[in-house]
Structure formats: structure tokens, C-alpha cells
Amino acid sequence: MSEEAERGREGRVPLSRERVLEHAVAVADAGGLGSLTMRSLAKELGVRPMALYHHFTNKDEILDGIVDLVFSEVELPAPDGEWRAELSRRAASARDVLRRHSWAIALMESRSTPGPATLRHHEAVLATLRGAGLSLEMTGHAYALLDAFVYGFAIQEAALPFGPDTAQEVVASIAAQFSGGEYPYLAEYATERAMKPGYDFGDEFEFGLGVILDGLERLAGPMRVTSPRGAEA
Amino acid sequence: MSEEAERGREGRVPLSRERVLEHAVAVADAGGLGSLTMRSLAKELGVRPMALYHHFTNKDEILDGIVDLVFSEVELPAPDGEWRAELSRRAASARDVLRRHSWAIALMESRSTPGPATLRHHEAVLATLRGAGLSLEMTGHAYALLDAFVYGFAIQEAALPFGPDTAQEVVASIAAQFSGGEYPYLAEYATERAMKPGYDFGDEFEFGLGVILDGLERLAGPMRVTSPRGAEA
DNA sequence: ACCTGAACACCGTTCAAGT
DNA sequence: ACCTGAACACCGTTCAAGT
């Protein structure tokens, strides 16, 4: 699994914060957050566990680091672009990133020291909303609503019984248990909708995002298509 | 802390799944998910760790159990009530419950074996949406959107630097770091909005929920105020 | 049926030491 | 400056045993 573990002691790349964090993300991607331990990470890097403490004061600092690294993968909206397209692209990208690194969702709840990529991300979204002409108050409303949806949707996708394609079979076995009649609406939804061929839970993302953006557009009044070029120049 | 630990070996209440799960929730509430170990839970119950394995096959089963117990605290919507009021009440209740047990959010991402309270909950929401006259397709859209918002909002509240009241000071210290000018929009939002006296992030919940319910109302067309009394009678 | 003690293979982290 | 070995106080869980 690990290139470093296979490599001899000689041609060893020295540790660095970046290298540690990149491997930490890879370990969590492969085996979940539970598989990411100081010991497993060290082995992946071809090093003894204690070597990590020379670059990070403790495991929490590594967890903060990988959350920020995940954030850095999200495409930033362009503040001078068309706001709706930019926010759509940003939301879809964030959802994609959280699907690739679903362990990161649980971490966001507990981390409260945002890293530079996280701050740049927030800054770009705020710039886009403000650039579209929204008031500060409406900017806060919009940002909270958009991110609640993105994060919450990511939770739901992560909690799906299995991948988007194999879900049907699982739903079918669950639906069979409902046939007693205790959960008629669940049974109906499972058999008449979730088990139907073309169904894909992931499609609910576009619907939900559309409802939210429509609502914001309506409430925010006429928005600028592009923000002024030089902010205060 | 624990009544049981103080009680003598004599007047000991015997273990049961319910008693174990109730104490597990209490332990997680008090110290977070990290503080909930088989050993700490056993001590809280005045018992040896191995006694727990007589009632649960492993820790995962306990985690499944407490997620379902948390779900049981959420107020169910009344399928024959006014749909918008019922869904509002349900959403506010779910958000309340997740604020009281914020550790549960991280668990939902990893658990995929829903318990009876969870199933009853889903059943009631589906019944309310179907009872309001929504198509199966629109029911799926609506449910995914509503729950994404509720869960995602709960994550955001859990990730707040501190409680809703002490947040201002923390925001202020963060804002001070922004003063270099690297994050002008974050600085603006922090100083001109988040630090202002009346500001409370929790208020964003009502706004977001309103936008979503408005959107659903508009898309679903005219909805019944009450569903037919006897479903198929 | 219900609970226990001892043990095993793990954790994160400290501390003193090596180069 | 960068990495290590040994040790400590923890984990979840197995297994054989007690009542």
C-alpha cells in the first residue's frame, strides 16, 4: 500500500508538514477516520510514530491540517463572475470533495480553528455574495443556508447504505422488512421510487440547490451580474 | 458524577439495554463522543466493562442504539395537520435535539442500520408530505432538501467557536487577525455583523427554513391542508 | 442468566536519548 | 535539527471462569 514502506531506509524523502498531511488524507480516504492513527500514519511514511511529533504538537493539529487540506480542494467562486453560476459551481465542488473525503464531515463538527485554505474559501464566497449586491445581513442568511445544505447533503450521501449504484439491492432488502405494513409510506417510497431503475439519490442535489438559489434570487432583489472591478478604487 | 458509582454494591439496579443506552447518551452529552468508552460507560453504571457485552455484541451496537435514542427525542409531525406548520415544528425539534446531542451528528454519517425510532420518524415525515398531496418524486425532493438543511445547520452550530452568547469575543479575536487586510470581506462580516450586539447565528435557522418551505410550496402546487382521514378505508 | 479477571493487541503521548 | 526506544495510561474485545 505505501510506497514509503516498500522503499529502503536509504532513499527516504524527509518528513514535512505537507507530506504528513497528504499521507494522512490518503490513509483516511482508504480506511476511514478510525484507521488514521499516529502509528498507521508513521508506518505509511516509513518512519517511527514519534517522528511525527517533531512536526505537529499532537494528533489534533494533524486533524486540523487535513480538514484545511480538504477545503483547499474546493473550487473557489470567482467574485466577479455571474453569482448564481459561481455559487452553483462552488457548491457542486464542495459536495464532490466531501464525497471523496466523507470522513471530513465528522471532523468539521469538532474543529474550530480554521486554516488558511478554509479562510480563503470563506473570503471568496463572501466576496461573491457581497459583489452580487447582497446586504451584509442577506449575505449571512445566504451563506448559512447554502452551506447547511451542502454539508447536510454530504452527510446524507455518506450515510447511504452503499454506493449510489448498489443502493437498490439494499433498499430492496429493507423494503422487504416493511412489507408487514408497519411502515406503509416507507415501503411505498422504497418500492415505487428508490428501487426504480433510474433513481439516484445524488440527483436530489441539483433540485435542492435550485430551490435555494431561486429563493435567494427572489429575496435579494435585483442582483448585479458582475461586481465592480476595483473594489474601492 | 454517577449515582451508580456512589451507590453501594447492594442496591444495584440490574443492567438493561435501555439503562445502558440512557447512560451512554449522558456520558456523550457530558464529555463528547471521545469520552464514551466501554470502560467509562461501565464505571458510570457501576459495573465491570465486560458486563456490557452481555447486552450488546460490541460498541458499534451501542452507537447504533444511542443514535436511535436521539432520534426518538425528535417531535414527529402529525400527518393530518397543516403540513407547513408540522414540518416546521419537526425541523425545529430536530435541530434542538442535535444541539443538545451534537456528538450524534458525526455518528449519523457512519451508521447505516436505522433503528425503530428512526424508521418511525421517516415514516411520519413521509406521511405528512404525501398527505399534503406531494407526488412521490416531489416527496423525495422535499425530504432530502429539508433534512440536508437541518443536519447541515446542526453541523454549523456545533462548529461555532463557542456557545451562541460567547461567540462575539472569539469572533473579535479572530477579526483582529484579519486586520492585515488579507481577508477584507471576512473582516467586514465579523466586525460589522457577527460582533454586533443583537447578532445570533441561530437566527439563520428560521430564515433558511422559510426559504425552503416557500420554495416547496411554490413548486408543489396547491397542497391539501389536511389529508384524507382514513388512508384507504 | 448475568457478571467478572486476566490477557491481547491496540491507542496517544512523555521523556530521555541518540545522530 | 531530526528521529528513535522504551514506557505509561489508556482503548475494544476474547476467553475462560465464577455465581
Side-chain angles (χ1 to χ4, degrees):
Chain A
M1 282 216 171
S2 75
E3 357 158 350
E4 272 70 18
E6 289 161 10
R7 194 197 314 265
R9 309 129 225 77
E10 312 309 338
R12 200 146 69 202
V13 190
L15 281 187
S16 70
R17 288 182 65 96
E18 294 76 38
R19 236 170 69 74
V20 170
L21 293 179
E22 283 163 15
H23 278 78
V25 167
V27 169
D29 285 348
L33 207 51
S35 77
L36 178 62
T37 70
M38 297 301 270
R39 290 163 139 100
S40 70
L41 179 54
K43 179 167 282 183
E44 193 71 15
L45 288 158
V47 101
R48 289 303 111 91
M50 286 317 299
L52 299 170
Y53 288 86
H54 198 265
H55 301 267
F56 299 87
T57 63
N58 52 30
K59 188 179 179 181
D60 266 8
E61 207 174 285
I62 293 183
L63 295 181
D64 281 338
I66 58 178
V67 166
D68 201 54
L69 196 53
V70 164
F71 251 102
S72 75
E73 291 184 30
V74 180
E75 290 179 31
L76 299 184
D80 53 355
E82 204 274 302
W83 72 272
R84 184 166 174 141
E86 293 303 320
L87 292 178
S88 278
R89 192 167 53 78
R90 195 275 318 191
S93 170
R95 176 247 190 152
D96 246 43
V97 167
L98 291 177
R99 194 161 34 174
R100 286 201 299 273
H101 312 293
S102 59
W103 46 265
I105 306 169
L107 276 187
M108 314 190 72
E109 178 236 327
S110 53
R111 308 286 103 194
S112 51
T113 42
T118 307
L119 293 176
R120 271 194 296 272
H121 179 93
H122 291 323
E123 177 73 9
V125 174
L126 288 177
T128 304
L129 292 167
R130 293 289 282 151
L134 269 66
S135 68
L136 262 189
E137 189 180 3
M138 188 57 71
T139 293
H141 291 334
Y143 203 172
L145 173 51
L146 283 166
D147 267 13
F149 175 70
V150 169
Y151 296 150
F153 196 87
I155 286 194
Q156 294 188 87
E157 280 195 302
L160 285 181
F162 279 101
D165 298 321
T166 52
Q168 267 88 3
E169 307 159 25
V170 183
V171 170
S173 81
I174 295 175
Q177 299 177 317
F178 297 164
S179 53
E182 206 177 350
Y183 306 109
Y185 287 98
L186 270 169
E188 178 196 37
Y189 193 81
T191 58
E192 303 301 316
R193 177 102 178 103
M195 287 167 61
K196 293 289 184 186
Y199 179 80
D200 179 0
F201 178 80
D203 295 343
E204 305 292 5
F205 185 78
E206 282 74 28
F207 175 87
L209 186 57
V211 168
I212 288 170
L213 291 173
D214 285 347
L216 291 178
E217 195 160 11
R218 197 170 286 112
L219 282 166
M223 297 188 191
R224 280 175 237 152
V225 171
T226 57
S227 68
R229 282 289 155 170
E232 58 108 33
Chain B
M1 280 220 173
S2 76
E3 357 160 347
E4 273 69 18
E6 287 161 11
R7 195 198 313 265
R9 309 126 223 80
E10 312 307 340
R12 198 146 70 201
V13 190
L15 281 188
S16 70
R17 287 183 66 95
E18 293 76 35
R19 237 170 67 74
V20 170
L21 292 179
E22 283 163 13
H23 279 78
V25 168
V27 169
D29 285 348
L33 207 51
S35 77
L36 177 63
T37 70
M38 298 302 270
R39 291 164 139 100
S40 70
L41 178 53
K43 180 167 280 182
E44 193 72 16
L45 288 156
V47 99
R48 290 301 111 94
M50 286 316 298
L52 298 171
Y53 288 86
H54 199 267
H55 301 268
F56 300 86
T57 63
N58 51 32
K59 189 179 178 181
D60 266 7
E61 205 173 285
I62 294 183
L63 295 181
D64 282 336
I66 58 178
V67 166
D68 201 55
L69 195 53
V70 164
F71 252 102
S72 76
E73 290 184 31
V74 180
E75 290 179 32
L76 300 182
D80 53 356
E82 203 274 301
W83 72 273
R84 184 168 175 140
E86 293 302 321
L87 292 178
S88 278
R89 192 167 52 78
R90 195 281 307 193
S93 171
R95 176 246 188 152
D96 246 43
V97 167
L98 290 178
R99 196 162 33 174
R100 287 201 297 273
H101 312 291
S102 58
W103 46 266
I105 305 169
L107 277 186
M108 315 191 71
E109 177 235 328
S110 54
R111 308 287 104 194
S112 51
T113 43
T118 308
L119 292 175
R120 272 195 297 273
H121 180 93
H122 291 324
E123 178 73 10
V125 175
L126 289 176
T128 304
L129 292 167
R130 295 287 283 149
L134 270 66
S135 68
L136 261 190
E137 190 181 3
M138 188 57 70
T139 292
H141 291 333
Y143 203 170
L145 173 51
L146 283 166
D147 267 12
F149 175 69
V150 170
Y151 296 149
F153 196 86
I155 285 195
Q156 295 188 87
E157 280 195 301
L160 285 180
F162 279 102
D165 299 321
T166 51
Q168 267 87 4
E169 308 159 26
V170 183
V171 170
S173 81
I174 295 176
Q177 299 178 316
F178 296 165
S179 53
E182 207 177 349
Y183 305 110
Y185 287 99
L186 270 169
E188 178 197 39
Y189 194 81
T191 57
E192 303 301 316
R193 177 102 178 104
M195 287 167 60
K196 293 288 184 187
Y199 179 80
D200 179 0
F201 178 81
D203 294 343
E204 305 291 6
F205 185 77
E206 281 75 28
F207 174 87
L209 186 57
V211 169
I212 288 171
L213 291 173
D214 285 347
L216 292 177
E217 195 162 10
R218 196 169 288 114
L219 281 166
M223 297 188 190
R224 282 175 234 149
V225 171
T226 59
S227 68
R229 280 292 156 171
E232 59 108 31

